[in-house]
Amino acid sequence: MADNYVGLIVLEINGTDYEVTSVEPSLKTGRKVVKTMNRTGRATGTAKGIEEHDLKIAVPIPKSGEPDWRALMDAKITIYPQDGGSKRQTWTGCSLLEMGSKYQVEGEATRDLTVAALNYYTE
């Protein structure tokens, strides 16, 4: 029996689909190790922290009609598998933190976007 996995995804920002070469979501839990003086000489627990959601998105640069990525504020970003079978992932309150460009010998030129999100959920 063959295993089925998620393949290509569709990226949607505020209801508009965008061409994308890669998306790398990450979560930082914000948890901290609480160090105390005790007989074992080890930390004995953790403290709850504030979650941080970041997305690193690479989009090809079009010859004309490139979106104004600097204006990306309080956006809703959703990714979902193109072939179905998995839940949609949605980030809300998204704002652009960094934008860079990559030009290489082989392949297309891309914009590298780093986006911070305030909330994450699956649908």
Side-chain angles (χ1 to χ4, degrees), residues 1-122:
M1 183 171 157
D3 291 328
N4 294 322
Y5 300 99
V6 174
L8 300 175
I9 57 117
V10 175
L11 175 77
E12 184 180 284
I13 301 176
N14 289 336
T16 304
D17 289 354
Y18 288 93
E19 301 294 323
V20 63
T21 57
S22 71
V23 178
E24 299 175 39
S26 66
L27 163 68
K28 295 177 190 166
T29 63
R31 292 186 186 110
K32 305 274 186 203
V33 174
V34 177
K35 299 176 184 176
T36 60
M37 292 185 275
N38 57 45
R39 290 186 186 275
T40 63
R42 297 181 308 181
T44 57
T46 58
K48 187 176 178 180
I50 297 173
E51 285 188 353
E52 295 179 42
H53 299 276
D54 292 325
L55 294 101
K56 293 185 188 311
I57 304 170
V59 295
I61 302 172
K63 288 185 178 179
S64 64
E66 181 175 15
D68 182 10
W69 297 114
R70 290 184 196 189
L72 186 67
M73 289 282 297
D74 199 30
K76 177 181 176 183
I77 297 178
T78 304
I79 61 173
Y80 53 93
Q82 193 173 17
D83 56 356
S86 183
K87 293 184 177 183
R88 297 164 49 117
Q89 296 178 310
T90 300
W91 293 265
T92 57
C94 298
S95 299
L96 181 70
L97 296 180
E98 292 181 32
M99 180 173 70
S101 302
K102 185 188 302 180
Y103 305 95
Q104 45 197 7
V105 174
E106 292 185 20
E108 68 282 346
T110 59
R111 291 274 185 245
D112 297 323
L113 310 172
T114 303
V115 177
L118 301 179
N119 192 22
Y120 166 79
Y121 58 93
T122 56

